Amino acid sequence: MIVKEYCIYFLSVVTLLTFALPSAAQETAAAQPSSGVQEGSLEPPLLGGWGRWSAKLNLLDLACAVPNLGVEFDLGKDRYSKSSLSLTARCNWTEWHSTRPGTTFDVLELRPEYRQYRRGLERTKGVLYWGVYGSAGRYGLKLSETGHQGFFCGAGAGIGTVMPLHEYRKFAMDIEFGASVGLCLRTDDAYRLHPDGQAYIRVPEQSRGFGPVPFPVVSELRMALVLRKVSAKSRYHLTTEETKALRTRNMERAEKKQKRKEGIEKDEKNK
């Protein structure tokens, strides 16, 4: 119950930040330029100090009564840097309960991740990313008469997008959507609730030792709020060389497509 009360509190704070504060941000926007763009310039500022750090809260985990918090650090301090390192922690464990519930969904996890961001030629506000992650922790799942718990570790890859949500006087809030899939190794201790309802009993015949899960695992789904000093629309920009290379590649692809189209039309006329 304590965990659920904390989740309700966090959701209230998130709702306030997401829907109540934008009106205040609009009032201050006319008085002061946004944190993402300097006054009189289309170029975003350099990132320094706390500008390279971001804090994240996954709303999907929170909706499942799993408190979580993530931090991300940009490896470069200018607007052209496109790589970052992050660490996410999730924690909700049955040992904190005073009684043994008949249904459990518990996780205790640490998750480091490396990301590479990518922006297109168009002046879009959002930015795409791909990344690789590692994870380790404990799990507990009991949705029927028999539950399963143990230790796990894994690695995999993820993709997603980050879009600006609101900009305030001294910080910005973005929203992130993404998913991660990977391979997982785990121990599996099967258990059941004792008839007196006060303890769990192990089921040896259904338990397994340390080994791989025989199929890819969707390890995370993300709809997260990201709190940072400079919005995503002012980060991860293309350098001049990258812009020229991307434009050249797009032109070559368009020329090849046009030639194929002309060749098909010519063949049809000859027939």
Side-chain angles (χ1 to χ4, degrees), residues 149 187 232 239:
Q149 67 178 9
T187 61
T239 63

Side-chain angles (χ1 to χ4, degrees), residues 27 45 51 59 70 74 111 192 194 201-204 227 240 259:
E27 293 176 359
L59 301 182
D74 286 346
R111 185 187 189 91
R192 293 176 181 172
H194 194 275
I201 55 175
R202 189 170 183 271
V203 184
L227 187 67
T240 303
K259 288 180 180 179

Side-chain angles (χ1 to χ4, degrees), residues 88-103:
T88 302
R90 300 191 293 172
C91 185
N92 178 23
W93 199 247
T94 53
E95 294 177 355
W96 295 353
H97 295 287
S98 57
T99 59
R100 302 303 181 191
T103 301

Side-chain angles (χ1 to χ4, degrees), residues 139-157:
Y139 73 95
L141 181 64
K142 185 175 185 297
L143 303 178
S144 59
E145 182 179 355
T146 303
H148 300 269
Q149 67 178 9
F151 295 91
F152 71 90
C153 63

Side-chain angles (χ1 to χ4, degrees), residues 7 12 22 52 56 59 93 97 113-114 155 162 165 168 175 185 211 216 228 232 259 264-265 269:
C7 290
S12 301
R52 298 169 68 180
K56 303 181 180 184
L59 301 182
W93 199 247
H97 295 287
E113 183 177 10
Y114 169 82
V162 181
L165 192 60
Y168 305 96
I175 188 166
L185 301 171
R228 51 181 29 137
K259 288 180 180 179
I264 294 174
E265 292 177 352
K269 290 181 180 180

